[in-house]
Amino acid sequence: MSEMQPVKIAPSILSADFSNLGREIADVERGGCDVIHVDVMDGHFVPNLTLGAPVVKSIRKTTQLPMDVHLMIDEPIRFVEDFKKAGTDWLTVHVEACRDLPGTLDAIRKAGMKTGMSLRPGTSVEALEPYLDQLELVLVMTVEPGFGGQSFMADQLEKVRWLRKRFQGMISVDGGVNAQTAHEVRTAGADILVAGTAVFGQTDRAAAIRGLRG
Ligand code: DX5
Ligand code: ZN
């Protein structure tokens, strides 16, 4: 991605009102966001449970926006087909969660989705190096994956700067991104800002999204 492109904003529905998901998504779409970020957790890779492909399928009917599905689950290769059928555009898996990383990325690509990889704060960004040319998105976690509403870990931005020099695809930053931290995330070279609390936790979502763009 060129650094000249405007940053994309991807609200994470983890902080939305799940009983009104269609309306919540319509609200951020009207508010000018670019991508819908969906956090899938299995209660094993991370200590929390969220939702799966059936919910993604329902969301797909409510929006034209690209959906970026962040899988925080063990052995995500098992669910690649399900998420494709549900209408996922970008499928992101964790480097720590796959026994067969090249096979998992292959399966995502062959299913017709864009390949994404994420890493926990404690994982070195060099772990992604062998896969960079097979990836279209890297999702840098700036909180420990599992929950919304945590504090931003600024030291993780070093990974964004490292990637910016070596990686041609999109760099996304996820966790604790808000009106205060967004500036340093953009400056580090991120293409996409994921934000849950900082968008869905606000009454005026359009203003929240503008605030993240800077
Ligand atoms: C955390 C998720 C994030 C989360 C971000 O594991 O991957 O997408 O929703 O939430 P905030 O923006 O509230 O930190
Ligand atoms: Zn996420």
Side-chain angles (χ1 to χ4, degrees):
M1 262 305 275
S2 153
E3 287 167 57
M4 302 310 288
Q5 297 283 326
V7 72
K8 291 186 191 299
I9 307 297
S12 158
I13 63 161
L14 193 56
S15 305
D17 173 0
F18 277 19
S19 69
N20 288 305
L21 211 40
R23 262 181 277 160
E24 290 278 78
I25 290 171
D27 195 27
V28 293
E29 188 166 0
R30 264 194 314 273
C33 75
D34 305 284
V35 176
I36 299 296
H37 183 88
V38 182
D39 289 306
V40 175
M41 306 186 189
D42 65 355
H44 193 256
F45 180 73
V46 289
N48 196 9
L49 271 176
T50 55
L51 51 89
V55 176
V56 172
K57 189 175 175 190
S58 297
I59 299 169
R60 179 72 288 170
K61 296 179 194 143
T62 72
T63 179
Q64 299 296 314
L65 290 172
M67 267 196 287
D68 147 34
V69 175
H70 176 190
L71 296 183
M72 286 160 274
I73 67 176
D74 279 319
E75 296 303 340
I77 195 165
R78 297 172 294 156
F79 298 101
V80 167
E81 280 304 320
D82 287 357
F83 282 100
K84 172 60 188 174
K85 285 193 197 124
T88 303
D89 302 282
W90 305 74
L91 195 64
T92 297
V93 299
H94 267 262
V95 64
E96 307 89 354
C98 310
R99 261 187 307 241
D100 176 8
L101 273 164
T104 305
L105 296 176
D106 249 19
I108 296 171
R109 198 176 312 104
K110 284 187 181 136
M113 292 176 286
K114 293 188 176 162
T115 50
M117 200 176 281
S118 187
L119 70 173
R120 295 178 182 279
T123 301
S124 158
V125 69
E126 280 90 358
L128 303 189
E129 196 154 26
Y131 310 103
L132 289 182
D133 59 354
Q134 299 164 59
L135 294 171
E136 286 156 284
L137 175 92
V138 172
L139 181 71
V140 174
M141 293 304 302
T142 40
V143 296
E144 203 54 62
F147 300 92
Q150 304 180 74
S151 299
F152 180 72
M153 298 165 76
D155 61 344
Q156 298 299 310
L157 293 180
E158 199 43 57
K159 294 178 180 173
V160 176
R161 290 186 274 269
W162 185 94
L163 286 161
R164 192 73 282 167
K165 291 188 206 136
R166 296 165 176 83
F167 180 53
Q168 301 306 310
M170 307 278 275
I171 304 171
S172 186
V173 172
D174 185 6
V177 177
N178 57 36
Q180 287 71 47
T181 57
H183 176 75
E184 52 180 324
V185 179
R186 293 193 308 268
T187 310
D191 302 298
I192 304 175
L193 271 50
V194 175
T197 316
V199 174
F200 284 109
Q202 314 302 313
T203 324
D204 185 343
R205 275 72 183 268
I209 291 164
R210 276 197 303 277
L212 294 172
R213 289 194 200 284

